[in-house]
């Protein structure tokens, strides 16, 4: 018997269970793998500290800062160095800095002269009338094609590994959509929002890039310890959930205990949409199809380390690659430029991202093929001499890396809401709704626990 069962021990599930535990609820977490943390996993090897999943988040919401405050001193929030404000975009034969001020905006080679003038008219352009307009369509309409190709497209490659012509703005980038709808303009909306008075709580959302001191896994480890390992079952397979007399019967298998059952008042799922058909066998096929058809971008991440850069400088958050440049990578992040202790003193750590929606075939390549690809870009994009090779390459594959908030999202959100009303005590959470970033996951978990 439990008050609440949480399915999934990723960031959403752990944050949910952590907050519920603090409220005095009797909670149990079921996790299919043999560890907590989900895609968050930090590795330490010969002076390099690297992530196999997400590298960073953004303190977009106060809930992020408040979670770290609640976990201190077991886990400390680490915000990135000033270098993280510098973002690079590949064009032609090298990375070029995104404009950070008026002069650089005028002189940058990233955008066409006509689009630089076009931006002056953005506050006076009519707002869109298509609620399902794709991000790419919106960007081209308001800012021009060069902004689409060399700002929006690489940004979406970095965030969603997706296609800007398929990601629907009001689902994928709701803040951007609301700026136009509420203020008629990105520029007018940004200025108006900057003038709004901020509470102390609002100021906690610093918009800074963050990790956890020593690696992101320290965040999930701290929550695991706070929840209590006795309240978490790992290697729980064949999990199914069924309604039972106004409660929920959760059955699962464990390697040592065989079949187990829990009777709970509430059950919260935080797993991917692709896991729900087996997890919720009582849901009709018609409803389940509207949820489980969510598309995910496959991504390969490679952590690449070099012990001595021979004075080559990488003072930036990293570089993203526009689709029109037809490179073999989505982008390369520079974690050692953002956070201390991620590489030996004279060295550097890079995170290569490969694949995504547009180049899913690259994620099926063998490790030796991927390593050859990485070394090619190590020389051509990072400009290391041809006789210098990385000291470390570690490859991580994520077949269901990032959900794509495309046109089907509205129907999915409505179906989730319908099922939660139809089956009181069932809560469907996770990144199939409410945003894909770490801040989104923390915020969703915090809000749903406040409602319980």
């Amino acid at each position: 018997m439990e008050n609440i069962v949480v399915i999934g021990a990723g960031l959403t599930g752990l944050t949910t269970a952590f907050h519920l535990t603090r409220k005095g609820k009797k909670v149990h977490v079921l996790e299919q793998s043999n560890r907590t943390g989900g895609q968050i996993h930090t590795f330490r090897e010969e002076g390099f500290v690297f992530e196999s999943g997400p590298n960073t988040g953004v303190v977009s919401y106060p809930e992020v800062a408040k979670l770290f405050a609640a976990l201190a001193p077991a886990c400390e929030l680490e915000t990135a160095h000033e270098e993280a404000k510098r973002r690079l975009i590949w064009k032609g034969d090298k990375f070029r800095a995104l404009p950070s001020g008026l002069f650089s905006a005028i002189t940058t080679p990233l955008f066409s002269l006509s689009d630089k003038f076009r931006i002056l008219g953005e506050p006076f352009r009519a707002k869109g009338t298509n609620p399902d307009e794709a991000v790419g369509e919106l960007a081209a309409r308001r800012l021009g094609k060069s902004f689409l190709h060399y700002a929006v497209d690489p940004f979406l490659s970095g965030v969603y590994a997706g296609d800007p012509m398929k990601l629907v703005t009001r689902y994928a980038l709701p803040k951007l959509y609301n700026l136009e709808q509420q203020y008629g303009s990105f520029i007018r909306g940004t200025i108006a929002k900057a003038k709004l008075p901020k509470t102390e709580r609002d100021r906690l959302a610093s918009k800074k890039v963050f990790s956890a001191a020593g690696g992101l896994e320290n965040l999930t480890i701290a929550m695991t310890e706070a929840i209590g390992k006795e309240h978490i079952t790992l290697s729980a397979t064949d999990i199914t959930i069924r309604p039972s007399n106004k409660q929920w019967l959760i059955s699962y298998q464990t390697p040592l205990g065989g079949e187990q059952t829990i009777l709970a008042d509430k059950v919260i799922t935080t797993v991917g949409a692709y896991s729900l058909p087996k997890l919720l066998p009582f849901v009709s096929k018609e409803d389940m199809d509207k949820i489980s058809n969510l598309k995910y971008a496959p991504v390969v991440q490679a952590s690449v380390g070099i012990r001595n850069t021979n004075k080559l400088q990488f003072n930036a958050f990293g570089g993203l690659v526009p689709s029109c440049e037809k490179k073999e990578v989505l982008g390369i992040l520079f974690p050692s430029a953002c956070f201390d202790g991620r590489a030996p003193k004279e060295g550097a750590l890079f995170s290569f991202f490969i694949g995504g929606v547009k180049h899913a075939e690259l994620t099926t390549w063998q490790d030796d093929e991927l390593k050859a690809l990485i070394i090619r870009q190590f020389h051509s994009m990072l400009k290391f001499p041809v006789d210098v090779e990385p000291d470390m390459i570690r490859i991580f594959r994520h077949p269901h890396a990032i959900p794509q908030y495309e046109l089907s999202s509205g129907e999915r959100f409505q179906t989730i809401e319908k099922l939660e009303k139809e089956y009181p005590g069932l809560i469907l959470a996770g990144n199939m709704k409410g945003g894909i970033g770490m801040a989104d996951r923390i915020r969703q978990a915090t809000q749903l626990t406040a409602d319980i």
Side-chain angles (χ1 to χ4, degrees), residues 53-116:
N55 279 242
T56 62
V58 177
V59 187
S60 307
Y61 306 111
E63 289 85 352
V64 177
K66 290 174 78 69
L67 175 62
F68 277 94
L71 289 166
C75 179
E76 299 288 347
L77 178 70
E78 182 177 19
T79 54
H81 302 320
E82 284 297 304
E83 285 88 338
K85 292 181 179 178
R86 186 168 179 260
R87 310 296 177 98
L88 308 176
I89 302 292
W90 184 269
K91 186 173 186 180
D93 60 352
K94 65 180 180 179
F95 281 119
R96 304 166 192 270
L98 264 176
S100 57
L102 180 60
F103 179 76
S104 59
I106 294 170
T107 58
T108 180
L110 291 174
F111 310 126
S112 69
L113 181 61
S114 61
D115 282 346
K116 290 175 185 177

Side-chain angles (χ1 to χ4, degrees), residues 146-272:
S146 67
F147 279 89
L148 166 61
H149 293 318
Y150 286 96
V152 174
D153 175 273
F155 169 75
L156 289 177
S157 289
V159 175
Y160 276 94
D163 184 342
M165 305 311 291
K166 292 183 179 178
L167 293 164
V168 175
T169 311
R170 65 181 171 131
Y171 304 134
L173 297 175
K175 289 182 180 178
L176 188 68
Y177 177 79
N178 290 333
L179 276 182
E180 185 188 30
Q181 293 303 306
Q182 292 176 16
Y183 300 97
S185 157
F186 300 156
I187 293 174
R188 286 211 308 267
T190 302
I191 292 170
K193 288 181 77 67
K195 291 179 179 178
L196 291 175
K198 288 183 172 59
T199 65
E200 285 299 317
R201 186 178 186 278
D202 292 335
R203 292 190 186 95
L204 293 174
S206 65
K207 306 296 189 290
K208 291 182 178 179
V209 171
F210 80 88
S211 179
L216 274 172
E217 193 172 36
N218 287 338
L219 171 60
T220 56
I221 289 172
M223 286 195 286
T224 299
E225 295 294 331
I227 295 162
K229 292 181 180 179
E230 67 275 19
H231 300 299
I232 301 173
T233 298
L234 301 177
S235 302
T237 58
D238 299 320
I239 305 171
T240 58
I241 300 167
R242 289 182 174 85
S244 177
N245 296 322
K246 297 185 179 180
Q247 289 184 297
W248 293 92
L249 186 67
I250 302 98
S251 62
Y252 58 98
Q253 298 277 344
T254 60
L256 298 178
E259 185 172 355
Q260 308 287 319
T261 58
I262 302 176
L263 193 63
D265 298 322
K266 293 182 184 293
V267 60
I268 302 169
T269 74
T270 65
V271 299

Side-chain angles (χ1 to χ4, degrees), residues 366-394:
Q366 299 297 313
D367 280 7
D368 57 345
E369 295 175 295
L370 288 170
K371 286 181 179 179
L373 180 161
I374 289 161
I375 290 171
R376 284 196 298 274
Q377 305 311 328
F378 182 78
H379 294 140
S380 68
M381 298 183 75
L382 297 180
K383 307 302 183 185
F384 282 96
V386 293
D387 59 340
V388 175
E389 292 202 356
D391 294 301
M392 178 197 75
I393 300 177
R394 299 291 178 265

Side-chain angles (χ1 to χ4, degrees), residues 9 51 155 415:
E51 310 286 350
F155 169 75
T415 305

Side-chain angles (χ1 to χ4, degrees), residues 322-388:
S323 303
C324 62
E325 290 290 329
K326 302 187 184 308
K327 302 294 286 184
E328 294 176 306
V329 299
L330 297 169
I332 307 171
L333 302 187
F334 309 157
S336 55
C338 298
F339 305 108
D340 291 332
R342 303 302 167 104
K345 188 175 180 182
E346 304 298 325
L349 175 69
F350 308 101
S351 288
F352 284 64
F353 292 87
I354 300 163
V357 166
K358 290 187 176 182
H359 296 289
E361 74 284 354
L362 294 178
T363 65
T364 67
W365 285 17
Q366 299 297 313
D367 280 7
D368 57 345
E369 295 175 295
L370 288 170
K371 286 181 179 179
L373 180 161
I374 289 161
I375 290 171
R376 284 196 298 274
Q377 305 311 328
F378 182 78
H379 294 140
S380 68
M381 298 183 75
L382 297 180
K383 307 302 183 185
F384 282 96
V386 293
D387 59 340
V388 175

Side-chain angles (χ1 to χ4, degrees), residues 13 22 84 100 117 287-288:
R22 294 184 81 211
S100 57
F117 280 110
D287 284 338
M288 184 55 71

